[in-house]
Amino acid sequence: MALIEVHNLEKVFETDAASTRAIRGIDLSVSAGDFMAVVGPSGSGKSTLLQILGLLDAPTSGEYFLSGKDTKVFNEEELAVRRNKTMGFIFQSFNLLARTSVLENVKLPLAYSATPAHTWDALAQKEIEAVGLTHRIHHEPSQLSGGERQRVAIARALVNDPEVIFADEPTGNLDSVSGHAVMDLLEGLHHAGKTVILITHDRTLAKRAHRAILMKDGAIVWGGDAAYIPELQS
């Protein structure tokens, strides 16, 4: 059984002026333990697809099954629980709380879980150590480099031991050295058994995944081995 399976997924954004079809008839299956890159230019629908797969937004039509369960039946509370327990998110902009220590930032998802509060510090410290930031544990984001901030975001994404990690342009605000270090961490998570879905426009980074899909104008136009992503035809 696939961890993630979608059929004929559509997303339409309506405004007073027009309708924008952001996702067009997507069929996709992601197995547990996959490392998949979603590649395409700006405006191709990559981030919209992530928002839907991450239960942050609902499709206009189509089916989405998560661990075999139809997501249409989840109410808002169930969606929140599954996001927090099953999924970890890493964004280009880090989304860390200012004037809040690394430890407190990493602990944040635990506050919305059923995990006993007396275990939070130890769980957060374990993930902070895993990303090599124990020496920064009491620092605030403003005292960290971009690469260190993204490693904090990775530790936060991992603290609830999610099944799948969504990484949306995770190296976009980083220099090449820090970007490669972040990709090394994502590869390590994959090797440890996590499912990783990487959203990127960078084909070099995408080739570090095992498989890829290529998007254009809201549709998947190719899927296969990440080492052989074709050029988009105009």
Side-chain angles (χ1 to χ4, degrees):
M1 180 179 66
L3 175 62
I4 288 171
E5 189 167 356
V6 300
H7 301 290
N8 199 27
L9 209 66
E10 300 269 341
K11 182 64 179 181
V12 179
F13 293 104
E14 301 279 359
T15 67
D16 292 338
S19 295
T20 302
R21 196 173 170 209
I23 295 292
R24 301 168 180 261
I26 284 183
D27 295 304
L28 180 64
S29 180
V30 181
S31 298
D34 272 358
F35 185 3
M36 186 183 77
V38 182
V39 188
S42 177
S44 61
K46 304 186 303 297
S47 291
T48 301
L49 179 61
L50 178 146
Q51 295 278 319
I52 293 172
L53 297 183
L55 303 178
L56 298 166
D57 198 1
T60 303
S61 62
E63 298 177 307
Y64 175 14
F65 296 91
L66 179 63
S67 297
K69 297 179 181 177
D70 190 343
T71 59
K72 282 195 185 87
V73 306
F74 300 153
N75 61 31
E76 288 300 319
E77 182 179 354
E78 289 170 320
L79 288 170
V81 168
R82 289 180 182 275
R83 276 194 303 268
N84 193 51
K85 185 176 181 181
T86 306
M87 302 170 176
F89 297 91
I90 305 164
F91 296 104
Q92 177 177 345
S93 57
F94 317 130
N95 291 355
L96 301 178
L97 297 179
R99 303 185 194 85
T100 305
S101 71
V102 167
L103 178 63
E104 294 302 319
N105 266 286
V106 173
K107 282 166 54 177
L108 186 61
L110 296 168
Y112 302 95
S113 73
T115 306
H118 72 270
T119 67
W120 292 359
D121 278 7
L123 290 170
Q125 288 166 8
K126 176 186 173 185
E127 300 305 339
I128 291 166
E129 181 180 0
V131 299
L133 286 178
T134 300
H135 63 299
R136 298 291 203 188
I137 195 166
H138 298 300
H139 287 64
E140 296 178 1
S142 63
Q143 299 171 299
L144 306 177
S145 69
E148 288 172 332
R149 291 179 202 177
Q150 194 59 291
R151 281 191 276 160
V152 175
I154 292 171
R156 182 185 57 193
L158 293 174
V159 76
N160 270 331
D161 193 25
E163 294 180 57
V164 56
I165 303 293
F166 293 100
D168 191 1
E169 300 282 4
T171 66
N173 284 333
L174 306 179
D175 59 59
S176 60
V177 173
S178 297
H180 283 296
V182 166
M183 287 303 300
D184 288 344
L185 284 169
L186 292 178
E187 281 190 334
L189 293 174
H190 165 64
H191 290 310
K194 297 293 184 188
T195 305
V196 180
I197 299 177
L198 169 68
I199 311 295
T200 184
H201 68 278
D202 188 326
R203 290 163 180 267
T204 301
L205 293 181
K207 287 179 180 180
R208 295 183 66 172
H210 282 197
R211 57 180 288 225
I213 59 172
L214 181 60
M215 294 188 66
K216 179 182 179 182
D217 298 330
I220 295 175
V221 296
W222 175 89
D225 188 329
Y228 303 103
I229 303 169
E231 294 296 326
L232 273 174
Q233 301 299 312
S234 57

